[in-house]
Amino acid sequence: MYVWTHRAFGALGGFLTAWNLWVYGIAVTATILYAIPTELSYLIGPAARWLPESHVASVGIVGLIVAAIAAAAVRGLEWGKWIHNVGGMAMLAVFAVLILLPLWGLWHGTIHTGMEFAVVMPPRTLRSLALFGQMIFGAQCGLEYIAIFAGESRQPARTIARSVWIASPIICAMFILGTSSVVAFATPGHIDFIAPIPQTLRIALGNTGLANVFAMAAILLLQLRLLGAASYIFTGVTRLPMTVGWDHLVPVWFTRLHSQYRTPVNSILFAALLVFVLVVMASVGVHAQEAFQVLSNASLTHYELTYLAMFAIPLAGAAVLRRSLPRWLKWVSLMGFVATLLSLLISAYPFVDVQSPMAYAVKIVGTVVVSNLIAVGFYLWPRGTTQVSR
């Protein structure tokens, strides 16, 4: 995305795209890791209900995990790929269990109807629109992250293209069938937005007997899924300052590589510190659900700005570049731009109970505005030509 927007809109356009994608990666890593204490509470059982609301315990757990994924990122994909692959396999296994849970519920009489696939309109409320905005944007995002690892992969063009074709229908099926299972068990209005799958597993399987052991094993797999997702995004985002540094748009400090593993060690350490600080700041003075949504929406708005820039390339990018793109891509980009814009405009509205909706909106909007003002100021700050170390 950085390379394409740099070509289409110049150095400032490329820099702002990289900046928003970088901030998104930092914030979404914090968001993913923030869910771990809540999922651990479901893993342990009723005795650990206090865990998500304990800021000291939550921050301590997240801090240890941040240190671990930073160490894996320094070591490089030689280690990191195993974290990513195990996390991906764990996610597929848990979703398979989740999709089959309604059959268990019907057999044991805990539910009387299975999955429902009726086509109905949701309530016409801002809450529904906020959820819909996140769904239409978030469901298929993230595939572009694979390209960040192209230089560390074998036959990247062929492999990455094939992975997108294979993954896309599987992602859609997992979203639809997994959501149907959650709705089959959870009471409307009482779904845990931080950990809906562990909540569903506990409702379906309970806290005693063999079913409890099965539930604990499934939730443990979910923890591996979170670790894999966090490591994957964190590892990818640490490459962005290094790449932008090659174009002399950030200090050369970010481009320095580890002497043995050839990974951007300074960028990794800086990103790890930011993730930890963001988790601490988001949890100050609010409950876990609200802190999670602040992190989630703050990250998503930066990501939406990145996608708006991407969809704008065939529509308003450099003329030489636009002429080389097919007409169908322009129409698809227009639809993508409109859908992303809708998601961006509604992202400041909370769909969970918050202490102050106005304060919540100010946090989201203020974070994005201040972040991009800092980016512009940083870009305009005089910089001398530096020697870049690759």
Side-chain angles (χ1 to χ4, degrees):
M1 284 189 175
Y2 165 70
V3 171
W4 278 92
T5 51
H6 190 282
R7 293 178 182 175
F9 303 115
L12 178 58
F15 178 78
L16 288 176
T17 300
W19 177 277
N20 280 280
L21 188 57
W22 180 68
V23 173
Y24 156 76
I26 298 294
V28 81
T29 300
T31 305
I32 293 170
L33 296 179
Y34 195 84
I36 288 180
T38 299
E39 294 203 356
L40 278 176
S41 70
Y42 284 108
L43 172 64
I44 299 169
R49 286 176 181 169
W50 59 271
L51 185 58
E53 298 299 340
S54 172
H55 296 318
V56 174
S58 296
V59 169
I61 292 169
V62 172
L64 290 174
I65 297 172
V66 169
I69 65 172
V74 170
R75 191 62 175 81
L77 281 184
E78 185 179 353
W79 283 10
K81 67 182 180 182
W82 294 109
I83 301 175
H84 310 159
N85 291 341
V86 169
M89 289 185 288
M91 180 173 64
L92 291 173
V94 171
F95 262 85
V97 172
L98 178 67
I99 291 167
L100 294 174
L101 271 183
L103 297 177
W104 171 276
L106 290 171
W107 181 30
H108 286 265
T110 54
I111 59 173
H112 301 290
T113 58
M115 295 181 183
E116 295 185 4
F117 299 102
V119 179
V120 295
M121 289 294 293
R124 296 177 183 177
T125 62
L126 284 175
R127 177 187 174 94
S128 291
L129 188 60
L131 279 166
F132 179 68
Q134 284 206 3
M135 287 167 60
I136 60 173
F137 174 72
Q140 289 275 16
C141 289
L143 294 172
E144 80 287 342
Y145 254 75
I146 309 169
I148 295 176
F149 302 114
E152 303 172 56
S153 306
R154 296 187 182 93
Q155 298 181 318
R158 178 183 177 186
T159 303
I160 292 172
R162 183 180 296 174
S163 73
V164 173
W165 283 110
I166 294 172
S168 295
I170 296 174
I171 292 170
C172 288
M174 290 169 66
F175 262 87
I176 295 168
L177 298 176
T179 301
S180 298
S181 288
V182 170
V183 173
F185 287 95
T187 304
H190 297 279
I191 296 175
D192 189 333
F193 286 107
I194 299 180
I197 299 177
Q199 181 192 35
T200 303
L201 289 167
R202 280 301 182 190
I203 294 172
L205 301 175
N207 296 291
T208 59
L210 186 60
N212 173 55
V213 175
F214 192 75
M216 292 178 68
I219 296 173
L220 182 60
L221 288 176
L222 282 173
Q223 301 295 292
L224 296 177
R225 173 205 58 146
L226 291 178
L227 289 174
S231 176
Y232 166 66
I233 294 175
F234 179 84
T235 304
V237 81
T238 57
R239 269 62 173 173
L240 282 169
M242 175 186 66
T243 306
V244 177
W246 290 344
D247 290 334
H248 308 288
L249 297 178
V250 297
V252 67
W253 184 84
F254 287 99
T255 70
R256 290 175 184 159
L257 304 181
H258 192 280
S259 58
Q260 180 179 354
Y261 305 125
R262 311 304 294 167
T263 52
V265 61
N266 289 345
S267 179
I268 290 169
L269 295 176
F270 185 73
L273 177 63
L274 284 182
V275 169
F276 181 73
V277 169
L278 203 56
V279 169
V280 174
M281 291 176 61
S283 61
V284 172
V286 297
H287 294 295
Q289 289 272 351
E290 182 173 348
F292 181 81
Q293 284 308 131
V294 168
L295 284 171
S296 177
N297 280 17
S299 65
L300 198 63
T301 47
H302 284 86
Y303 204 21
E304 287 159 346
L305 289 173
T306 304
Y307 264 67
L308 285 177
M310 180 186 72
F311 287 129
I313 292 172
L315 305 174
V320 175
L321 186 58
R322 280 188 283 120
R323 284 196 293 267
S324 66
L325 301 174
R327 184 181 296 273
W328 65 265
L329 182 60
K330 298 177 182 179
W331 285 106
V332 171
S333 297
L334 178 61
M335 290 187 287
F337 188 92
V338 171
T340 305
L341 184 61
L342 169 64
S343 179
L344 176 66
L345 294 176
I346 201 63
S347 61
Y349 185 84
F351 55 81
V352 298
D353 294 330
V354 299
Q355 295 180 359
S356 170
M358 181 60 69
Y360 178 91
V362 168
K363 286 181 182 179
I364 300 299
V365 176
T367 298
V368 177
V369 172
V370 171
S371 169
N372 280 274
L373 286 176
I374 292 173
V376 173
F378 186 83
Y379 176 83
L380 296 176
W381 190 268
R383 292 181 302 276
T385 302
T386 56
Q387 180 72 25
V388 179
S389 57
R390 295 201 184 196

